[in-house]
């Protein structure tokens, strides 16, 4: 089966957003974490960080408090209900009030600056292990060897990660939740795009084609996502 997966070490890398406006510190921490198996992206603006945390797929967040446009406490508060992964807040040395407030708004842990990269790495690994251990079968949608994990927006086939865009993930989650049942094209269109179906738009069909390709499904004789002529689609159990 020709499954589309991310190449190289990225297949096993946890994706982390480092929110820090000190460029020297951010580069130092990023390099160290990258050398130890993380894919790290850096953001130096609080409001932009909040948007990225909600809309992108990250496994963990390292979040400084003193940020432009929105401080780290407000960022944590604004995203906590929409991000289930660990958030570690960086505080100034001795600022106990920051540490208390950070935990109250949903941070999983805090570290005082100056940051000790090895200690940060150990805490990240510990929290990610806990996060994975807390995921049960109730948190996953399992269809044969296909596993969809909504909380982490991840898709795997036989344990191998499959790289999906946000739109593609939304589609496969929608179909997996209804596996074994025929789903009308117009219902998919309305539920995923929030627009009435005009009978002509083929954007959902194109999205299905892309998802099939990434799942290694034969476009001529698909076995995972089947077309139901004149109606819509069926994800086979």
């Amino acid at each position: 089966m020709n499954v589309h997966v991310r190449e190289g070490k990225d297949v096993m890398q946890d994706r982390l957003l480092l929110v820090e406006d000190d460029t020297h510190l951010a580069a130092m921490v990023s390099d160290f974490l990258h050398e130890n198996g993380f894919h790290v992206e850096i953001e130096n603006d609080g409001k932009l960080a909040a948007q990225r945390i909600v809309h992108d797929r990250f496994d963990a967040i390292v979040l400084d408090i003193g940020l432009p446009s929105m401080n780290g406490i407000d960022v944590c508060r604004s995203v906590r209900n929409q991000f289930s992964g660990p958030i570690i807040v960086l505080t100034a040395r001795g600022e106990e009030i920051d540490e208390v407030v950070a935990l109250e708004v949903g941070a999983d842990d805090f570290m005082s600056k100056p940051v000790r990269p090895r200690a940060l790495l150990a805490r990240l690994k510990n929290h990610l292990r806990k996060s994975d251990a807390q995921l049960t079968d109730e948190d996953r949608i399992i269809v044969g060897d296909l596993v969809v994990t909504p909380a982490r927006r991840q898709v795997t086939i036989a344990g191998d990660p499959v790289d999906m865009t946000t739109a593609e993930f939304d589609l496969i989650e929608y179909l997996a939740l209804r596996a074994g049942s025929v789903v009308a094209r117009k219902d998919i269109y309305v539920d995923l795009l929030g627009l009435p179906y005009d009978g002509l738009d083929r954007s959902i069909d194109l999205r299905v084609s892309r998802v099939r390709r990434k799942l290694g499904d034969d476009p001529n004789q698909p076995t995972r996502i089947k077309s139901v002529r004149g109606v819509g689609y069926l994800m086979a159990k």
Side-chain angles (χ1 to χ4, degrees), residues 25-43:
L25 175 61
M28 182 267 290
V29 172
S30 175
D31 289 347
F32 180 82
L33 293 177
H34 179 73
E35 290 170 0
N36 285 274
F38 282 83
H39 172 84
V40 182
E41 297 184 25
I42 299 172
E43 179 56 65

Side-chain angles (χ1 to χ4, degrees), residues 80 84-86 108 126-140 149 151-152:
R80 184 70 280 185
S84 61
D108 296 277
N126 182 52
H127 284 292
L128 286 167
R129 277 196 299 270
K130 290 179 180 178
S131 179
D132 287 340
Q134 289 169 357
L135 290 174
T136 67
D137 283 351
E138 293 180 359
D139 302 307
R140 300 180 173 96
T149 308
R152 300 188 71 172

Side-chain angles (χ1 to χ4, degrees), residues 30-229:
S30 175
D31 289 347
F32 180 82
L33 293 177
H34 179 73
E35 290 170 0
N36 285 274
F38 282 83
H39 172 84
V40 182
E41 297 184 25
I42 299 172
E43 179 56 65
N44 59 18
D45 180 87
K47 284 186 178 179
L48 293 178
Q51 294 172 8
R52 293 184 64 183
I53 292 168
V54 170
H55 296 294
D56 293 349
R57 289 182 291 170
F58 293 104
D59 298 299
I61 310 297
V62 175
L63 178 63
D64 186 26
I65 286 185
L67 296 167
S69 78
M70 179 186 286
N71 67 54
I73 296 296
D74 288 338
V75 171
C76 186
R77 182 186 290 112
S78 70
V79 305
R80 184 70 280 185
N81 289 336
Q82 301 173 76
F83 177 74
S84 61
I87 299 176
I88 298 179
V89 169
L90 305 180
T91 67
R93 181 183 294 276
E95 293 294 333
E96 183 179 355
I97 185 63
D98 287 343
E99 297 168 356
V100 172
V101 174
L103 295 175
E104 287 178 343
V105 299
D108 296 277
D109 205 347
F110 60 84
M111 289 190 68
S112 297
K113 290 183 175 181
V115 176
R116 293 168 294 145
R118 290 188 181 278
L120 176 59
L121 174 65
R123 294 193 187 197
L124 279 168
K125 288 184 174 180
N126 182 52
H127 284 292
L128 286 167
R129 277 196 299 270
K130 290 179 180 178
S131 179
D132 287 340
Q134 289 169 357
L135 290 174
T136 67
D137 283 351
E138 293 180 359
D139 302 307
R140 300 180 173 96
I141 307 166
I142 302 173
V143 185
D145 63 352
L146 173 71
V147 179
V148 180
T149 308
R152 300 188 71 172
R153 298 188 69 81
Q154 289 181 344
V155 177
T156 63
I157 293 180
D160 292 325
V162 183
D163 195 18
M164 293 276 174
T165 66
T166 297
E168 291 163 356
F169 180 88
D170 290 343
L171 174 64
I172 198 168
E173 179 187 15
Y174 185 89
L175 293 175
L177 283 168
R178 297 159 178 80
S181 300
V182 176
V183 184
R185 182 182 286 102
K186 65 179 180 63
D187 291 337
I188 302 174
Y189 195 91
V190 171
D191 291 341
L192 293 188
L193 301 184
L195 299 170
Y197 182 53
D198 62 8
L200 300 174
D201 192 297
R202 288 291 175 263
S203 58
I204 292 297
D205 298 327
L206 293 173
R207 195 183 303 185
V208 168
S209 295
R210 292 197 303 270
V211 169
R212 279 176 173 159
R213 185 165 58 249
K214 290 187 175 184
L215 297 180
D217 220 358
D218 185 341
N220 297 315
Q221 292 184 314
T223 58
R224 293 186 185 274
I225 302 177
K226 299 182 178 182
S227 297
V228 180
R229 188 176 180 84

